[in-house]
Amino acid sequence: MEKEDPMFIKSITHKTSSDSDPLIVTSNALLQNRNEVVIEHRGEQYRLRRTRQDKLILTK
């Protein structure tokens, strides 16, 4: 897996008022015109899918 590009993360996020506020990332920024993206967390892979009804489903 490629190393995260900090500039990419900055470009897809909105500013928050402090570091303790949650990071806000748009689904369009994550999916980038795809219907599915794989997220790796602690060695596990999770799939974030956009449905035909434009809803999001996260599965392991």
Side-chain angles (χ1 to χ4, degrees):
M1 175 139 223
E2 292 180 22
K3 188 176 178 184
E4 278 186 280
D5 179 356
M7 293 308 293
F8 172 74
I9 297 298
K10 287 180 184 176
S11 71
I12 64 172
T13 61
H14 299 286
K15 292 219 178 244
T16 57
S17 55
S18 75
D19 287 341
S20 63
D21 289 339
L23 180 65
I24 299 171
V25 180
T26 66
S27 60
N28 286 335
L30 283 174
L31 293 167
Q32 298 182 7
N33 296 320
R34 295 176 178 89
N35 288 323
E36 182 176 82
V37 65
V38 176
I39 301 168
E40 286 193 12
H41 176 69
R42 294 186 175 189
E44 300 284 340
Q45 289 189 345
Y46 297 82
R47 295 184 181 279
L48 180 64
R49 288 188 305 119
R50 183 186 346 237
T51 68
R52 282 178 271 185
Q53 293 81 27
D54 205 29
K55 303 210 183 226
L56 296 176
I57 298 176
L58 180 65
T59 58
K60 187 170 180 183

